[in-house]
Amino acid sequence: MDRKEKKPKKRRWKFLRTGLKSDYNGYQWEIGKWETTECERLCEGFNCSNRIMDAMRYVSGEILAEVESSGKCFEDDSKSTHEKMRIVNAWNWRKEDSVELAIYAAEMVIHIFEDKNPSDDRPRKAIEAAKSWLAGKSNAYAYAAVDAAYDSTSNAAANAAAYAYAAAKAAYAAAKAAYANAAVDAENANAYAANAAAYAAYADKSVTDKIESWLRERVKKLKKYKG
């Protein structure tokens, strides 16, 4: 009897909280260990995403995990739910990673806003403020830049330029990723980075793959989670 070649299991992504726990119910994961749960419909089971940027939308976590799944599966465009899953790899995701992602996404689409509003440099200054934070040069001016960027989104919305509005929001999110509430820094930064990526992708769909490619490359630089 000829042996059937096994198809490689598809690997996906999910964000977890400190301690390798699920955000929704605190489920405790262990790297390499298969877990099984009830899975009868989308969202009721173990969830993950094909793209890292989609996984960020659902959980603002401190750990990025690469997962392997099998058994029952339900999926839509941005996530899937599985009966069986295990963590294959895990990395620490820092605030710095979120800020750099947000800046990258915002810079790719800021020209859309500036083309419609050539005299308004507030979103651009917000991006520069985020860069200053990364360079360890944050100051009081940066917070003013964040507020100004938010005001600029109102102008873009009033002008009914949806893509320009999204571009301005991406810049605002980049600055907020850097200057989020210190009490929940990493979590807020992750959420704002996800917003920046989403707004950038809305402003220009062609950047979606570039953002995901940036994230895949970023994984190579992350520190492995060791517990």
Side-chain angles (χ1 to χ4, degrees):
M1 179 184 292
D2 293 335
R3 290 185 178 180
K4 291 184 178 180
E5 185 177 345
K6 291 184 178 180
K7 294 182 179 179
K9 294 183 173 65
K10 187 172 183 178
R11 291 184 176 178
R12 297 177 172 87
W13 307 89
K14 70 188 288 121
F15 272 90
L16 297 168
R17 303 310 305 270
T18 300
L20 218 64
K21 294 182 179 181
S22 293
D23 183 59
Y24 175 67
N25 59 5
Y27 195 94
Q28 182 65 62
W29 293 88
E30 181 180 330
I31 296 176
K33 180 182 177 182
W34 280 101
E35 303 287 355
T36 304
T37 189
E38 294 293 327
C39 179
E40 299 299 332
R41 59 180 62 85
L42 188 68
C43 297
E44 293 186 10
F46 296 134
N47 299 310
C48 58
S49 297
N50 287 331
R51 298 187 302 191
I52 300 174
M53 66 180 291
D54 288 331
M56 289 187 77
R57 290 172 48 198
Y58 292 106
V59 176
S60 299
E62 298 83 8
I63 300 171
L64 171 63
E66 183 182 24
V67 304
E68 191 173 58
S69 60
S70 66
K72 291 182 181 178
C73 172
F74 301 88
E75 57 189 316
D76 62 15
D77 292 338
S78 62
K79 74 174 177 179
S80 55
T81 303
H82 303 265
E83 178 185 20
K84 299 178 181 180
M85 184 176 290
R86 69 173 175 175
I87 307 297
V88 179
N89 291 300
W91 300 267
N92 294 303
W93 184 265
R94 307 165 304 149
K95 176 178 177 178
E96 288 81 359
D97 301 311
S98 292
V99 175
E100 287 199 41
L101 167 62
I103 291 171
Y104 176 75
E107 285 195 314
M108 283 196 293
V109 296
I110 188 60
H111 67 92
I112 298 173
F113 175 85
E114 292 176 333
D115 288 347
K116 294 287 185 180
N117 305 272
S119 62
D120 193 339
D121 64 353
R122 290 175 292 180
R124 175 73 65 174
K125 285 183 177 179
I127 295 174
E128 293 304 318
K131 288 182 175 180
S132 293
W133 181 87
L134 278 176
K137 299 177 181 178
S138 58
N139 52 48
Y141 160 77
Y143 291 91
V146 175
D147 292 336
Y150 179 80
D151 290 339
S152 73
T153 65
S154 298
N155 284 357
N159 291 336
Y163 299 124
Y165 169 78
K169 289 289 282 185
Y172 168 69
K176 286 294 284 184
Y179 297 95
N181 185 335
V184 282
D185 248 350
E187 179 183 351
N188 273 357
N190 186 303
Y192 281 115
N195 286 345
Y199 280 121
Y202 178 80
D204 181 356
K205 291 182 180 179
S206 71
V207 308
T208 302
D209 289 342
K210 293 178 182 179
I211 293 172
E212 185 64 20
S213 293
W214 186 95
L215 282 162
R216 300 293 176 105
E217 285 300 311
R218 188 69 176 192
V219 170
K220 299 175 183 179
K221 300 178 182 180
L222 300 179
K223 184 178 180 180
K224 279 287 188 75
Y225 175 81
K226 296 181 179 180

